[in-house]
Amino acid sequence: MTLKRQRIAELLTEEPGREVLAKGWVRTKRGNKNIVFIALNDGSTINNIQVVCDLSEFRPDDVLKDVTTGACIAVTGKLVESIGGGQKVEIRAGSIEVYGTADPEKYPLQKKGHSMEFLREIAHLRPRTNTFGAVLRIRHAMAYAIHKYFNDHGFYYLHTPIITASDAEGAGAMFQVTTLDMDNPPRKEDGRIDYSQDFFGRHTNLTVSGQLEGELGAMALGNIYTFGPTFRAENSNTPRHLAEFWMVEPEMAFCEIDENMDIAEDFIKSLVSYALENCMDDLLFLNNMFDKDLIDRLKGVVNTEFARITYTEGVDILEKSGEKFEFPVSWGVDLQSEHERFLVERHFKRPVIMTDYPKDIKAFYMKQNDDGKTVRGMDVLFPKIGEIIGGSQREESYDKLMARINELGMDTSCLWWYIDTRRFGTAPHSGFGLGFERLLLFVTGMANIRDVIPFPRTPKSAEF
Ligand code: 4AD
Ligand code: MG
């Protein structure tokens, strides 16, 4: 009977006694003339399984010369009780097959303890480190928890387009999509590029948000969410910005700002709880290696009520704080992450949901308050991160929405379909966008957003 390969995660929980087959990548090999210990990892768990080769029985032992850090091997042997501490079982190797060698002189992960910066330069290999293994498993678990949360709460997953003709956020900074010959584009009489000859017969971009299409879905299905890649060409070289990031955007019909806040808070708490319940091995590793407060911080968020304040109250607190900020604060300015973090980490000491922002610093679609100055936007601000969620109640009145669009001088030719929702069966509705990698920064405790996505896209960087 041929043995079936088992994942190491599974083998480590089994009772000793059986003959087993494990396959994976060698993390370390050590030993002496009599005995060799191999730490084997297959990505199924942060934990390695120990493979023991007793050289008095293990034949042929010359295969071991190719068993070096980074090599890929298959091990057949008996699962036995482990004598050393650390794990319950280990494999007493009968035979080893080497699938792929890794020249010790050249393998970049030969040694431990590389800097995160160095690992970014070898993004094709860094998933093989403990740290990235942990981060990528947590990333998967969070994606699953997002789908589970929405499915359990009656939301439908709506797939919104990646190529669009509209600019949802009006913040500029979009990546253009074109099949025109950029060295020699067709031109109109006035010299401007003639996009009517482009693939879609118009100027198109990669989407910055699925929200506008998401609203169309909510106006038919009630509760929807999108979860996909979004693109922003802003030249922000910060530890919190990517040019390609994943966003989760629920949109709810018959939902006003207070309920929007309740859902955002419940959603994010449930994701953090899911991580605490399902990813503890990886969290413990990250906690011990990088950030001794990580697990306490996660538990803290699950167990505290978020503070809720208006922008005006927030600015007041900041102005009275006596704190010297790099960017000065006054009513009307867009808050920087230093301000957001002051409120969260020093003043309230818990997450903060801020609402009712000046209309001039927020997008055109936000519901206008009666004061004529503020809109019903909401940002969820988190320790270490600053803004993790941005959302709002939407302006459902056709007249008010059009007035704002005209005030901003926006081109409605790309937005007529969006405006139509306010002409036909409009309804109060709200939604928000959670930056998936910002969530992962929080949950993993990583300091740089480039380290929570397998292949980061940032200014001047798209190699892997
Ligand atoms: O606040 P933003 O721009 O909001 C929207 O796009 C709305 N359409 C969302 C909605 O209401 N449906 O972005 C939402 C979140 C931010 O709070 C942040 O977490 C994340 O997306 N985000 C980024 N994450 C990584 N890199 C960037 N460049 C990001 N820009 C925004
Ligand atoms: Mg925002």
Side-chain angles (χ1 to χ4, degrees):
M1 200 186 80
T2 50
L3 273 175
K4 198 168 166 312
R5 173 237 163 187
Q6 282 176 283
R7 295 157 71 246
I8 289 171
E10 192 188 335
L11 289 175
L12 287 174
T13 64
E14 279 200 9
E15 291 305 317
R18 276 192 326 109
E19 190 76 359
V20 297
L21 170 58
K23 302 183 179 184
W25 292 268
V26 175
R27 281 293 161 77
T28 56
K29 184 179 77 174
R30 63 192 171 81
N32 53 39
K33 309 201 287 307
N34 306 318
I35 196 156
V36 167
F37 300 99
I38 301 164
L40 192 67
N41 189 282
D42 66 0
S44 60
T45 157
I46 187 99
N47 300 308
N48 302 326
I49 195 158
Q50 175 157 282
V51 177
V52 185
C53 307
D54 181 341
L55 297 184
S56 64
E57 309 165 358
F58 186 80
R59 289 287 178 270
D61 57 6
D62 61 347
V63 69
L64 288 174
K65 75 175 187 324
D66 286 335
V67 177
T68 57
T69 298
C72 185
I73 63 173
V75 181
T76 308
K78 193 169 177 191
L79 199 66
V80 297
E81 201 175 321
S82 183
I83 324 153
Q87 50 188 351
K88 208 177 74 181
V89 289
E90 62 193 24
I91 301 176
R92 178 163 296 255
S95 67
I96 291 183
E97 181 186 348
V98 178
Y99 284 137
T101 57
D103 183 346
E105 299 292 314
K106 299 194 177 125
Y107 183 55
L109 294 171
Q110 185 61 30
K111 296 231 158 49
K112 285 188 171 183
H114 292 295
S115 72
M116 301 308 267
E117 288 78 8
F118 172 75
L119 292 176
R120 272 174 228 146
E121 290 169 15
I122 51 161
H124 60 306
L125 293 173
R126 67 178 184 171
R128 296 214 207 148
T129 61
N130 283 331
T131 302
F132 283 88
V135 167
L136 293 178
R137 280 185 295 272
I138 294 172
R139 187 175 168 109
H140 160 80
M142 289 294 90
Y144 175 75
I146 286 164
H147 288 300
K148 177 167 164 43
Y149 180 90
F150 287 127
N151 188 60
D152 291 350
H153 288 79
F155 286 66
Y156 298 108
Y157 184 21
L158 184 76
H159 296 104
T160 51
I162 288 180
I163 301 174
T164 65
S166 60
D167 176 3
E169 292 303 301
M174 316 238 292
F175 289 101
Q176 188 177 332
V177 176
T178 182
T179 54
L180 293 180
D181 175 3
M182 280 294 127
D183 292 327
N184 185 24
R187 295 197 183 265
K188 296 196 274 201
E189 273 171 19
D190 63 6
R192 290 188 304 151
I193 295 177
D194 182 7
Y195 285 105
S196 69
Q197 295 187 45
D198 204 344
F199 187 89
F200 296 107
R202 64 195 316 151
H203 187 266
T204 52
N205 302 298
L206 294 178
T207 189
V208 296
S209 156
Q211 177 194 326
L212 301 190
E213 295 87 353
E215 286 188 48
L216 311 182
M219 289 298 104
L221 296 167
N223 289 349
I224 64 89
Y225 69 106
T226 70
F227 182 10
T230 48
F231 306 86
R232 297 194 184 179
E234 50 196 339
N235 202 357
S236 327
N237 243 318
T238 80
R240 287 177 308 280
H241 287 88
L242 289 165
E244 175 178 309
F245 62 100
W246 285 62
M247 212 198 303
V248 188
E249 295 181 275
E251 192 70 32
M252 294 80 74
F254 322 119
C255 174
E256 305 203 10
I257 190 74
D258 287 318
E259 200 186 342
N260 201 25
M261 289 192 268
D262 294 342
I263 294 169
E265 182 168 341
D266 184 59
F267 174 52
I268 209 157
K269 283 178 172 171
S270 98
L271 298 180
V272 176
S273 300
Y274 188 91
L276 287 167
E277 283 159 26
N278 295 278
C279 307
M280 202 34 113
D281 283 354
D282 289 322
L283 289 175
L284 276 171
F285 172 81
L286 295 171
N287 189 90
N288 297 340
M289 284 295 289
F290 295 99
D291 181 351
K292 300 274 181 275
D293 300 323
L294 174 64
I295 291 174
D296 284 344
R297 209 161 47 241
L298 299 184
K299 288 183 178 158
V301 159
V302 172
N303 296 322
T304 45
E305 208 175 306
F306 296 2
R308 297 188 182 189
I309 59 167
T310 64
Y311 169 91
T312 303
E313 288 162 350
V315 168
D316 203 44
I317 293 168
L318 291 167
E319 281 179 332
K320 290 186 178 141
S321 70
E323 189 75 14
K324 270 229 166 311
F325 293 111
E326 188 187 340
F327 296 91
V329 196
S330 60
W331 201 94
V333 304
D334 208 354
L335 298 183
Q336 303 290 326
S337 82
E338 56 169 341
H339 308 132
E340 296 169 342
R341 292 185 59 181
F342 177 87
L343 291 170
V344 171
E345 291 165 23
R346 311 251 308 271
H347 188 84
F348 288 100
K349 299 190 169 57
R350 55 195 165 124
V352 172
I353 310 184
M354 189 180 272
T355 55
D356 301 289
Y357 285 81
K359 66 176 182 184
D360 291 329
I361 58 170
K362 289 290 182 189
F364 74 97
Y365 50 69
M366 294 194 182
K367 185 172 173 70
Q368 298 156 34
N369 283 321
D370 293 337
D371 64 10
K373 293 193 304 194
T374 58
V375 289
R376 236 169 259 183
M378 66 167 211
D379 281 1
V380 179
L381 313 178
F382 254 49
K384 306 261 269 184
I385 315 278
E387 179 189 338
I388 194 165
I389 282 179
S392 74
Q393 185 168 342
R394 319 304 188 191
E395 183 53 74
E396 83 264 23
S397 148
Y398 175 84
D399 291 337
K400 287 187 185 165
L401 183 66
M402 282 311 294
R404 186 65 183 142
I405 286 174
N406 292 329
E407 197 177 5
L408 291 166
M410 290 171 64
D411 174 11
T412 51
S413 67
C414 305
L415 272 182
W416 63 270
W417 48 270
Y418 178 77
I419 297 164
D420 254 11
T421 53
R422 276 58 171 179
R423 292 173 62 213
F424 305 118
T426 192
H429 63 291
S430 299
F432 60 84
L434 167 71
F436 186 52
E437 287 77 18
R438 299 250 176 116
L439 169 77
L440 289 170
L441 276 179
F442 181 72
V443 172
T444 63
M446 291 283 107
N448 193 309
I449 200 162
R450 291 166 179 81
D451 301 329
V452 294
I453 187 165
F455 304 102
R457 297 297 176 248
T458 51
K460 302 274 181 289
S461 165
E463 185 166 356
F464 303 91

mmCIF file of all heavy atoms in Angstrom, residues 39-69:
data_model
loop_
_atom_site.group_PDB
_atom_site.id
_atom_site.type_symbol
_atom_site.label_atom_id
_atom_site.label_comp_id
_atom_site.label_asym_id
_atom_site.label_seq_id
_atom_site.Cartn_x
_atom_site.Cartn_y
_atom_site.Cartn_z
ATOM 1 N N ALA A 39 14.815 19.850 10.687
ATOM 2 C CA ALA A 39 13.555 20.547 10.968
ATOM 3 C C ALA A 39 12.871 20.771 9.630
ATOM 4 O O ALA A 39 13.414 21.431 8.744
ATOM 5 C CB ALA A 39 13.819 21.872 11.675
ATOM 6 N N LEU A 40 11.681 20.173 9.478
ATOM 7 C CA LEU A 40 10.992 20.213 8.189
ATOM 8 C C LEU A 40 9.708 21.027 8.319
ATOM 9 O O LEU A 40 8.963 20.891 9.295
ATOM 10 C CB LEU A 40 10.651 18.773 7.771
ATOM 11 C CG LEU A 40 10.187 18.585 6.327
ATOM 12 C CD1 LEU A 40 11.333 18.880 5.362
ATOM 13 C CD2 LEU A 40 9.670 17.156 6.104
ATOM 14 N N ASN A 41 9.464 21.878 7.314
ATOM 15 C CA ASN A 41 8.256 22.706 7.333
ATOM 16 C C ASN A 41 7.577 22.613 5.971
ATOM 17 O O ASN A 41 8.243 22.647 4.939
ATOM 18 C CB ASN A 41 8.634 24.162 7.636
ATOM 19 C CG ASN A 41 7.413 25.016 7.892
ATOM 20 O OD1 ASN A 41 6.721 25.425 6.970
ATOM 21 N ND2 ASN A 41 7.116 25.268 9.163
ATOM 22 N N ASP A 42 6.248 22.474 5.975
ATOM 23 C CA ASP A 42 5.546 22.406 4.682
ATOM 24 C C ASP A 42 4.523 23.531 4.519
ATOM 25 O O ASP A 42 3.653 23.476 3.655
ATOM 26 C CB ASP A 42 4.875 21.040 4.491
ATOM 27 C CG ASP A 42 3.744 20.795 5.481
ATOM 28 O OD1 ASP A 42 3.471 21.672 6.328
ATOM 29 O OD2 ASP A 42 3.127 19.715 5.396
ATOM 30 N N GLY A 43 4.592 24.534 5.380
ATOM 31 C CA GLY A 43 3.693 25.678 5.245
ATOM 32 C C GLY A 43 2.328 25.483 5.875
ATOM 33 O O GLY A 43 1.564 26.437 6.000
ATOM 34 N N SER A 44 2.011 24.271 6.295
ATOM 35 C CA SER A 44 0.673 24.053 6.860
ATOM 36 C C SER A 44 0.554 24.603 8.269
ATOM 37 O O SER A 44 -0.545 24.816 8.775
ATOM 38 C CB SER A 44 0.336 22.553 6.849
ATOM 39 O OG SER A 44 1.281 21.828 7.617
ATOM 40 N N THR A 45 1.679 24.839 8.914
ATOM 41 C CA THR A 45 1.714 25.396 10.268
ATOM 42 C C THR A 45 3.065 26.051 10.488
ATOM 43 O O THR A 45 4.037 25.735 9.802
ATOM 44 C CB THR A 45 1.486 24.289 11.338
ATOM 45 O OG1 THR A 45 2.035 24.723 12.591
ATOM 46 C CG2 THR A 45 2.171 22.988 10.967
ATOM 47 N N ILE A 46 3.095 26.942 11.474
ATOM 48 C CA ILE A 46 4.376 27.574 11.823
ATOM 49 C C ILE A 46 5.342 26.530 12.399
ATOM 50 O O ILE A 46 6.553 26.686 12.333
ATOM 51 C CB ILE A 46 4.136 28.719 12.845
ATOM 52 C CG1 ILE A 46 5.406 29.527 13.122
ATOM 53 C CG2 ILE A 46 3.593 28.192 14.170
ATOM 54 C CD1 ILE A 46 5.496 30.783 12.376
ATOM 55 N N ASN A 47 4.801 25.444 12.955
ATOM 56 C CA ASN A 47 5.644 24.452 13.623
ATOM 57 C C ASN A 47 6.314 23.511 12.630
ATOM 58 O O ASN A 47 5.696 23.066 11.668
ATOM 59 C CB ASN A 47 4.793 23.640 14.606
ATOM 60 C CG ASN A 47 4.180 24.544 15.662
ATOM 61 O OD1 ASN A 47 4.881 25.320 16.301
ATOM 62 N ND2 ASN A 47 2.867 24.478 15.811
ATOM 63 N N ASN A 48 7.578 23.207 12.893
ATOM 64 C CA ASN A 48 8.299 22.229 12.080
ATOM 65 C C ASN A 48 8.078 20.851 12.683
ATOM 66 O O ASN A 48 7.811 20.721 13.873
ATOM 67 C CB ASN A 48 9.801 22.513 12.117
ATOM 68 C CG ASN A 48 10.119 23.918 11.635
ATOM 69 O OD1 ASN A 48 9.443 24.446 10.750
ATOM 70 N ND2 ASN A 48 11.140 24.525 12.219
ATOM 71 N N ILE A 49 8.242 19.833 11.839
ATOM 72 C CA ILE A 49 8.309 18.494 12.427
ATOM 73 C C ILE A 49 9.786 18.097 12.445
ATOM 74 O O ILE A 49 10.529 18.428 11.523
ATOM 75 C CB ILE A 49 7.424 17.472 11.663
ATOM 76 C CG1 ILE A 49 7.232 16.215 12.532
ATOM 77 C CG2 ILE A 49 8.027 17.070 10.316
ATOM 78 C CD1 ILE A 49 6.001 15.408 12.151
ATOM 79 N N GLN A 50 10.200 17.452 13.519
ATOM 80 C CA GLN A 50 11.592 17.016 13.592
ATOM 81 C C GLN A 50 11.727 15.647 12.944
ATOM 82 O O GLN A 50 10.970 14.728 13.253
ATOM 83 C CB GLN A 50 12.048 16.980 15.042
ATOM 84 C CG GLN A 50 13.438 16.410 15.196
ATOM 85 C CD GLN A 50 14.099 16.872 16.478
ATOM 86 O OE1 GLN A 50 14.588 17.998 16.583
ATOM 87 N NE2 GLN A 50 14.097 16.008 17.466
ATOM 88 N N VAL A 51 12.709 15.560 12.035
ATOM 89 C CA VAL A 51 13.001 14.283 11.385
ATOM 90 C C VAL A 51 14.342 13.813 11.937
ATOM 91 O O VAL A 51 15.320 14.553 11.914
ATOM 92 C CB VAL A 51 13.098 14.476 9.853
ATOM 93 C CG1 VAL A 51 13.485 13.162 9.175
ATOM 94 C CG2 VAL A 51 11.789 15.029 9.294
ATOM 95 N N VAL A 52 14.353 12.588 12.465
ATOM 96 C CA VAL A 52 15.577 12.078 13.079
ATOM 97 C C VAL A 52 16.141 10.954 12.208
ATOM 98 O O VAL A 52 15.443 9.992 11.891
ATOM 99 C CB VAL A 52 15.283 11.525 14.498
ATOM 100 C CG1 VAL A 52 16.585 11.114 15.179
ATOM 101 C CG2 VAL A 52 14.537 12.560 15.320
ATOM 102 N N CYS A 53 17.421 11.096 11.810
ATOM 103 C CA CYS A 53 18.070 10.044 11.035
ATOM 104 C C CYS A 53 19.155 9.415 11.920
ATOM 105 O O CYS A 53 20.177 10.053 12.189
ATOM 106 C CB CYS A 53 18.725 10.602 9.776
ATOM 107 S SG CYS A 53 17.609 11.588 8.766
ATOM 108 N N ASP A 54 18.896 8.209 12.343
ATOM 109 C CA ASP A 54 19.891 7.480 13.143
ATOM 110 C C ASP A 54 20.847 6.822 12.157
ATOM 111 O O ASP A 54 20.468 5.891 11.437
ATOM 112 C CB ASP A 54 19.146 6.444 13.987
ATOM 113 C CG ASP A 54 20.091 5.643 14.866
ATOM 114 O OD1 ASP A 54 21.313 5.626 14.569
ATOM 115 O OD2 ASP A 54 19.603 5.043 15.836
ATOM 116 N N LEU A 55 22.094 7.286 12.101
ATOM 117 C CA LEU A 55 22.980 6.880 11.011
ATOM 118 C C LEU A 55 23.429 5.424 11.107
ATOM 119 O O LEU A 55 23.964 4.887 10.151
ATOM 120 C CB LEU A 55 24.181 7.827 10.922
ATOM 121 C CG LEU A 55 23.798 9.287 10.598
ATOM 122 C CD1 LEU A 55 25.042 10.137 10.422
ATOM 123 C CD2 LEU A 55 22.912 9.372 9.359
ATOM 124 N N SER A 56 23.121 4.779 12.243
ATOM 125 C CA SER A 56 23.443 3.354 12.304
ATOM 126 C C SER A 56 22.416 2.529 11.530
ATOM 127 O O SER A 56 22.666 1.397 11.169
ATOM 128 C CB SER A 56 23.519 2.885 13.765
ATOM 129 O OG SER A 56 22.244 3.015 14.356
ATOM 130 N N GLU A 57 21.222 3.114 11.282
ATOM 131 C CA GLU A 57 20.177 2.378 10.541
ATOM 132 C C GLU A 57 19.863 3.014 9.202
ATOM 133 O O GLU A 57 19.394 2.370 8.288
ATOM 134 C CB GLU A 57 18.850 2.380 11.334
ATOM 135 C CG GLU A 57 18.966 1.937 12.760
ATOM 136 C CD GLU A 57 17.731 2.318 13.567
ATOM 137 O OE1 GLU A 57 16.804 2.950 13.024
ATOM 138 O OE2 GLU A 57 17.707 1.985 14.762
ATOM 139 N N PHE A 58 20.090 4.346 9.112
ATOM 140 C CA PHE A 58 19.606 5.088 7.951
ATOM 141 C C PHE A 58 20.529 4.860 6.756
ATOM 142 O O PHE A 58 21.697 5.225 6.771
ATOM 143 C CB PHE A 58 19.532 6.580 8.283
ATOM 144 C CG PHE A 58 18.908 7.393 7.204
ATOM 145 C CD1 PHE A 58 17.527 7.443 7.060
ATOM 146 C CD2 PHE A 58 19.702 8.104 6.311
ATOM 147 C CE1 PHE A 58 16.956 8.190 6.050
ATOM 148 C CE2 PHE A 58 19.127 8.839 5.302
ATOM 149 C CZ PHE A 58 17.758 8.895 5.174
ATOM 150 N N ARG A 59 19.993 4.212 5.698
ATOM 151 C CA ARG A 59 20.795 3.907 4.508
ATOM 152 C C ARG A 59 20.019 4.263 3.252
ATOM 153 O O ARG A 59 18.822 4.041 3.196
ATOM 154 C CB ARG A 59 21.155 2.417 4.467
ATOM 155 C CG ARG A 59 22.183 1.999 5.517
ATOM 156 C CD ARG A 59 23.600 2.506 5.151
ATOM 157 N NE ARG A 59 24.577 2.147 6.157
ATOM 158 C CZ ARG A 59 24.894 2.911 7.217
ATOM 159 N NH1 ARG A 59 24.304 4.071 7.394
ATOM 160 N NH2 ARG A 59 25.802 2.521 8.068
ATOM 161 N N PRO A 60 20.625 4.765 2.186
ATOM 162 C CA PRO A 60 22.016 5.208 2.192
ATOM 163 C C PRO A 60 22.124 6.584 2.846
ATOM 164 O O PRO A 60 21.279 7.433 2.598
ATOM 165 C CB PRO A 60 22.357 5.288 0.705
ATOM 166 C CG PRO A 60 21.050 5.604 0.036
ATOM 167 C CD PRO A 60 19.973 4.998 0.884
ATOM 168 N N ASP A 61 23.112 6.814 3.662
ATOM 169 C CA ASP A 61 23.187 8.092 4.355
ATOM 170 C C ASP A 61 23.781 9.200 3.489
ATOM 171 O O ASP A 61 23.744 10.357 3.865
ATOM 172 C CB ASP A 61 23.911 7.960 5.697
ATOM 173 C CG ASP A 61 25.309 7.393 5.536
ATOM 174 O OD1 ASP A 61 25.746 7.215 4.375
ATOM 175 O OD2 ASP A 61 25.946 7.128 6.569
ATOM 176 N N ASP A 62 24.287 8.877 2.276
ATOM 177 C CA ASP A 62 24.858 9.950 1.452
ATOM 178 C C ASP A 62 23.798 10.892 0.886
ATOM 179 O O ASP A 62 24.101 11.979 0.435
ATOM 180 C CB ASP A 62 25.756 9.391 0.342
ATOM 181 C CG ASP A 62 24.984 8.491 -0.607
ATOM 182 O OD1 ASP A 62 23.840 8.116 -0.247
ATOM 183 O OD2 ASP A 62 25.515 8.167 -1.676
ATOM 184 N N VAL A 63 22.518 10.446 0.923
ATOM 185 C CA VAL A 63 21.453 11.339 0.471
ATOM 186 C C VAL A 63 21.425 12.610 1.348
ATOM 187 O O VAL A 63 21.033 13.681 0.923
ATOM 188 C CB VAL A 63 20.090 10.609 0.481
ATOM 189 C CG1 VAL A 63 19.634 10.323 1.893
ATOM 190 C CG2 VAL A 63 19.023 11.396 -0.252
ATOM 191 N N LEU A 64 21.919 12.475 2.578
ATOM 192 C CA LEU A 64 21.859 13.598 3.521
ATOM 193 C C LEU A 64 22.726 14.787 3.106
ATOM 194 O O LEU A 64 22.501 15.900 3.549
ATOM 195 C CB LEU A 64 22.257 13.134 4.928
ATOM 196 C CG LEU A 64 21.222 12.247 5.631
ATOM 197 C CD1 LEU A 64 21.775 11.717 6.946
ATOM 198 C CD2 LEU A 64 19.931 13.026 5.872
ATOM 199 N N LYS A 65 23.701 14.536 2.232
ATOM 200 C CA LYS A 65 24.546 15.667 1.842
ATOM 201 C C LYS A 65 23.738 16.716 1.051
ATOM 202 O O LYS A 65 24.061 17.896 1.060
ATOM 203 C CB LYS A 65 25.775 15.201 1.058
ATOM 204 C CG LYS A 65 25.507 14.787 -0.376
ATOM 205 C CD LYS A 65 26.820 14.450 -1.096
ATOM 206 C CE LYS A 65 26.623 14.184 -2.587
ATOM 207 N NZ LYS A 65 25.397 13.493 -2.978
ATOM 208 N N ASP A 66 22.668 16.260 0.399
ATOM 209 C CA ASP A 66 21.815 17.202 -0.337
ATOM 210 C C ASP A 66 20.695 17.791 0.517
ATOM 211 O O ASP A 66 19.925 18.629 0.060
ATOM 212 C CB ASP A 66 21.192 16.522 -1.562
ATOM 213 C CG ASP A 66 22.207 16.324 -2.670
ATOM 214 O OD1 ASP A 66 23.195 17.096 -2.700
ATOM 215 O OD2 ASP A 66 22.019 15.407 -3.489
ATOM 216 N N VAL A 67 20.585 17.298 1.739
ATOM 217 C CA VAL A 67 19.542 17.818 2.634
ATOM 218 C C VAL A 67 20.116 19.033 3.357
ATOM 219 O O VAL A 67 20.719 18.929 4.417
ATOM 220 C CB VAL A 67 19.087 16.729 3.632
ATOM 221 C CG1 VAL A 67 18.065 17.291 4.607
ATOM 222 C CG2 VAL A 67 18.491 15.551 2.881
ATOM 223 N N THR A 68 19.965 20.193 2.730
ATOM 224 C CA THR A 68 20.499 21.426 3.312
ATOM 225 C C THR A 68 19.354 22.413 3.437
ATOM 226 O O THR A 68 18.270 22.200 2.857
ATOM 227 C CB THR A 68 21.592 22.027 2.402
ATOM 228 O OG1 THR A 68 21.005 22.247 1.116
ATOM 229 C CG2 THR A 68 22.789 21.097 2.275
ATOM 230 N N THR A 69 19.559 23.473 4.188
ATOM 231 C CA THR A 69 18.515 24.476 4.384
ATOM 232 C C THR A 69 17.950 24.935 3.037
ATOM 233 O O THR A 69 18.700 25.304 2.142
ATOM 234 C CB THR A 69 19.089 25.687 5.157
ATOM 235 O OG1 THR A 69 19.505 25.224 6.432
ATOM 236 C CG2 THR A 69 18.034 26.774 5.332
#
